[in-house]
Amino acid sequence: MVEPGHASAENEERTLVINYYRDSCPQAEDIIKEQVKLLYKRHKNTAFSWLRNIFHDCFVESCDASLLLDSTRRVLSEKETDRSFGMRNFRYIETIKEALEGECPGVVSCSDILVLSARDGIVGGPYIPLKTGRRDGRKSRADIVEQYLPDHNESISVVLERCSQCGRTHCVKLVHRLYPEVDPSLNPDHVDHMLHKCPDPIPDPKAVQYVRNDRGTPMKLANNYYRNILDNKGLLIVDHQLATDKRTKPFVKKMAKSQEYFFKEFGRAITILSENNPLTGTKGEIRKQCNLANKLH
């Protein structure tokens, strides 16, 4: 029998388990949680980053931290693709990795750090028990990112096939709803705020200009987003479609009405996402540094 936290060739296909590091690094999850808490106190916007990380990494074929790999001379990083526009704070994953390496060198994978930091970065939301035991991939999937992650102007049908959005929206993704004319489906009371945040018809793509999807509780996980899109305050066209399409409107209304229902479904979605085709057993590796595959050290 193989204990959690120890891989073997005979158990290459082993699945994820709760508390995988209980023997090999008992403090692992506590260290991650404490680091996430410290980073949030210093940099509030890390909460958005943790959630975007798990979505962008785990949705693209496998939950294996391929998102974190830097570009090489031959291969583009997923971080540098158009779909990853506005993503940053990757260095804080390295901060957590360094803390773990100090306690248990070469034990905790970057993919588990990515998943658990997303869970622990949820402020005001439910606690979600997540399995661990992922190993890290060795290659970027930049060439297939667009096959998995929907763009901001995709139809609701495409989005339903892939995912939904949360957090905040960068101006370059929504100015087409403001210029040259304001989209009549937008709530007039919300338009002034959007124009104030995005004053340029052609915003600088390198500038950090954005509008929050939820102005009421932007730094906490809550169901206000669904209330907003029912009130025509969605920022993207897909937000408007989500609230009006017959396939999604009933769920939007349930989310808007019940925070408890939203938390339950959110937790279920994070769990499913986190368990998407992970590398386990002897597949992949445990990176020494999250932005580099071991062979490049």
Side-chain angles (χ1 to χ4, degrees):
M1 179 177 178
V2 179
E3 293 296 325
H6 300 278
S8 81
E10 290 82 15
N11 205 19
E12 185 171 342
E13 301 300 328
R14 187 180 54 237
T15 57
L16 304 177
V17 295
I18 292 291
N19 203 9
Y20 176 86
Y21 299 105
R22 69 173 180 262
D23 297 323
S24 56
C25 190
Q27 300 301 314
E29 295 199 24
D30 289 337
I31 291 171
I32 293 172
K33 186 173 184 178
E34 183 60 25
Q35 287 294 318
V36 167
K37 191 182 297 183
L38 288 172
L39 288 163
Y40 180 77
K41 286 181 179 179
R42 297 176 196 156
H43 317 280
K44 289 291 193 293
N45 66 356
T46 55
F48 302 112
S49 300
W50 305 134
L51 278 177
R52 282 199 74 183
N53 285 348
I54 190 174
F55 172 67
H56 281 253
D57 183 66
C58 296
F59 214 86
V60 181
E61 200 166 84
S62 173
C63 205
D64 67 348
S66 61
L67 170 72
L68 304 177
L69 292 170
D70 287 344
S71 292
T72 66
R73 283 179 294 179
R74 296 181 179 180
V75 182
L76 180 70
S77 168
E78 292 174 40
K79 295 182 286 189
E80 296 183 31
T81 64
D82 289 342
R83 291 291 196 273
S84 296
F85 176 83
M87 294 188 73
R88 55 189 189 280
N89 294 333
F90 295 110
R91 64 187 181 278
Y92 299 138
I93 291 285
E94 295 294 345
T95 300
I96 299 173
K97 177 65 170 174
E98 288 170 10
L100 287 163
E101 288 295 297
E103 179 74 16
C104 315
V107 174
V108 182
S109 69
C110 297
S111 48
D112 275 342
I113 295 171
L114 184 148
V115 165
L116 294 179
S117 62
R119 187 267 305 280
D120 295 336
I122 297 169
V123 180
Y127 176 78
I128 308 169
L130 293 178
K131 296 176 181 178
T132 43
R134 298 165 192 80
R135 289 168 64 83
D136 301 321
R138 297 188 178 99
K139 64 177 183 178
S140 164
R141 293 190 172 87
D143 57 331
I144 60 171
V145 163
E146 293 190 6
Q147 298 174 30
Y148 289 86
L149 297 177
D151 196 15
H152 65 283
N153 60 357
E154 302 276 21
S155 69
I156 190 65
S157 294
V158 171
V159 173
L160 285 175
E161 291 175 0
R162 303 181 186 181
C163 63
S164 60
Q165 301 185 41
C166 66
R168 62 191 186 185
T169 302
H170 289 265
C171 290
V172 294
K173 303 292 188 180
L174 60 85
V175 287
H176 62 286
R177 301 194 74 192
L178 298 173
Y179 306 99
E181 296 180 352
V182 173
D183 185 334
S185 67
L186 285 170
N187 185 315
D189 296 334
H190 202 50
V191 170
D192 287 344
H193 174 69
M194 293 173 69
L195 288 169
H196 173 71
K197 289 290 187 177
C198 303
D200 304 311
I202 306 177
D204 180 356
K206 296 182 179 179
V208 184
Q209 292 178 298
Y210 60 84
V211 183
R212 296 198 186 281
N213 285 334
D214 174 11
R215 294 171 62 192
T217 55
M219 304 308 292
K220 286 188 175 183
L221 183 71
N223 61 344
N224 277 3
Y225 164 78
Y226 299 97
R227 297 175 186 174
N228 288 341
I229 63 175
L230 286 174
D231 197 26
N232 294 321
K233 293 180 180 178
L235 304 179
L236 301 173
I237 291 176
V238 72
D239 295 331
H240 176 69
Q241 293 177 338
L242 197 64
T244 56
D245 191 282
K246 64 181 181 181
R247 293 167 292 179
T248 53
K249 186 174 182 179
F251 297 101
V252 170
K253 293 175 74 172
K254 288 180 72 174
M255 298 280 192
K257 184 178 180 180
S258 172
Q259 180 107 302
E260 182 180 356
Y261 175 76
F262 165 63
F263 281 168
K264 177 184 175 183
E265 293 304 306
F266 179 85
R268 192 164 70 93
I270 289 293
T271 300
I272 292 171
L273 188 60
S274 73
E275 296 179 9
N276 181 32
N277 194 28
L279 302 179
T280 59
T282 56
K283 294 178 180 178
E285 63 186 16
I286 304 298
R287 288 183 210 148
K288 297 176 183 177
Q289 195 173 317
C290 290
N291 65 325
L292 295 172
N294 288 345
K295 63 182 180 181
L296 297 180
H297 275 270

